[in-house]
Amino acid sequence: MEDCIFCKIANGEIPANIVYESENVLAFDDINPMAPVHVVVVPRVHVATLMDVSNGMMDEMISAVQEIAKIKGVDKKGFRTVINCNEDGGQIIFHLHIHILGGRKLSDEMG
Ligand code: AMP
Ligand code: ZN
């Protein structure tokens, strides 16, 4: 999709520190990390929000999360995944993404 930052990263038009790639999924370090480990996992195709996900799409996304947790060394100690959806959820980039946060004890606050 034109003017979508994450599509541009997926196309190679914008650089990113890629940490994981599979057939339909790509992951890269967040440009403004909120924790020592902060990775963003995206589908290669443009899907705007969690509400636009269709059956089966998330399987490869979740496999990616598992692999990235191992790559980043947070699989044992733990990490948090976040999907912000639409305005109240704090979504800023309207290309579906899973945040992976870890590398320190995260705040108990969820909202
Ligand atoms: P969200 O609020 O869930 O839409 O989060 C969007 C995330 O994308 C934020 O954590 C940003 O720091 C991150 N972000 C924005 N632009 C880039 C970029 N060019 N490369 C990596 N991460 C980015
Ligand atoms: Zn996109």
Side-chain angles (χ1 to χ4, degrees):
M1 195 195 177
E2 260 178 66
D3 288 336
C4 170
I5 270 181
F6 288 173
C7 280
K8 285 184 176 167
I9 290 174
N11 297 336
E13 282 177 58
I14 291 181
N17 189 26
I18 309 289
V19 298
Y20 177 86
E21 286 190 81
S22 64
E23 190 184 349
N24 302 299
V25 172
L26 182 71
F28 44 88
D29 286 323
D30 197 291
I31 205 167
N32 181 26
M34 306 294 278
V37 172
H38 188 171
V39 175
V40 174
V41 185
V42 305
R44 290 184 188 275
V45 295
H46 185 83
V47 176
T49 82
L50 184 59
M51 296 308 295
D52 303 301
V53 167
S54 44
N55 267 355
M57 264 197 75
M58 294 309 273
D59 292 2
E60 197 175 327
M61 295 278 282
I62 297 299
S63 296
V65 170
Q66 294 172 336
E67 290 309 311
I68 294 155
K70 290 181 208 159
I71 290 166
K72 291 287 187 178
V74 296
D75 54 314
K76 299 282 190 324
K77 283 201 92 175
F79 57 93
R80 181 172 294 162
T81 52
V82 175
I83 301 176
N84 296 323
C85 184
N86 283 326
E87 190 185 347
D88 278 1
Q91 186 172 5
I92 290 166
I93 298 196
F94 283 80
H95 180 129
L96 174 70
H97 50 284
I98 303 177
H99 295 262
I100 303 175
L101 297 146
R104 66 168 164 82
K105 178 85 172 98
L106 296 165
S107 137
D108 290 337
E109 251 181 66
M110 285 285 276

